[in-house]
Amino acid sequence: MQAALEEARRAAALGEVPVGAVVAKDGEIIARAHNLRENGKNATYHAELMAIDAACKVLGGWRLWQCELFVTLEPCPMCTGAIINSRLKRVVYAAGDPKAGCCGSLTDLFAMPFNHHPVVECGLCQQEAQALLQDFFAMLRQKRLAARERGDQNHAAEP
């Protein structure tokens, strides 16, 4: 999870929501990624999807049944679908996401009768992941407030 947190910090440094993910096989990291939605201008550039894509390329196939995903924020519906489809055997996430989390917070897509059900664990390094997210959104709110005070009509909307 420390490697995923490192990726989340990289995302924050780029102005992205600080979410990082790593895929491991046999205890070794084979892929790492962080959110790039804002910079890539693509709604699918979530850390989980990018890490899954990189892992598939490393292994030369789309089935990741021998792999585990470590991610700093509970996966959304899109990422949960990719986890199911890639057959990841285990998912470990740090912070829950009451707004979009689909591993138990908002809903639990893994409890539905899909053809694959990974083992799910939550809360590993939760406080550190939550602090990264809270600090990031506090900084965005400060930037937006400062832009309003300057009369800047072109300030970026909060992601």
Side-chain angles (χ1 to χ4, degrees):
M1 188 60 77
Q2 288 302 316
L5 287 164
E6 185 179 302
E7 289 296 320
R9 287 189 280 277
R10 287 184 179 138
L14 295 172
E16 298 281 349
V17 175
V19 178
V22 298
V23 175
K25 181 179 183 242
D26 302 325
E28 297 292 325
I29 294 172
I30 62 167
R32 349 171 133 240
H34 51 269
N35 274 2
L36 284 172
R37 261 190 335 185
E38 299 300 325
N39 287 280
K41 311 243 182 286
N42 189 314
T44 67
Y45 285 8
H46 286 207
E48 301 95 320
L49 294 182
M50 297 183 76
I52 288 169
D53 180 59
C56 289
K57 288 175 180 165
V58 167
L59 297 177
W62 62 270
R63 291 177 185 89
L64 302 177
W65 61 275
Q66 297 172 306
C67 298
E68 302 169 301
L69 174 72
F70 294 83
V71 61
T72 58
L73 183 64
E74 181 179 2
C76 72
M78 176 175 63
C79 294
T80 303
I83 290 164
I84 292 167
N85 283 310
S86 63
R87 313 293 197 266
L88 283 158
K89 73 175 177 180
R90 180 173 170 232
V91 176
V92 180
Y93 67 88
D97 185 355
K99 293 181 180 178
C102 287
C103 303
S105 290
L106 183 62
T107 192
D108 188 355
L109 292 180
F110 296 140
M112 298 185 77
F114 291 110
N115 62 334
H116 178 73
H117 301 275
V119 172
V120 178
E121 297 175 33
C122 62
L124 181 62
C125 300
Q126 178 180 359
Q127 290 178 340
E128 192 172 350
Q130 283 178 329
L132 276 171
L133 288 160
Q134 289 169 344
D135 292 349
F136 176 80
F137 285 111
M139 179 268 307
L140 274 186
R141 285 189 295 277
Q142 288 174 346
K143 281 185 175 180
R144 291 182 80 190
L145 181 59
R148 283 190 194 123
E149 289 172 357
R150 287 191 317 268
D152 182 357
Q153 300 300 316
N154 296 321
H155 60 275
E158 186 172 313

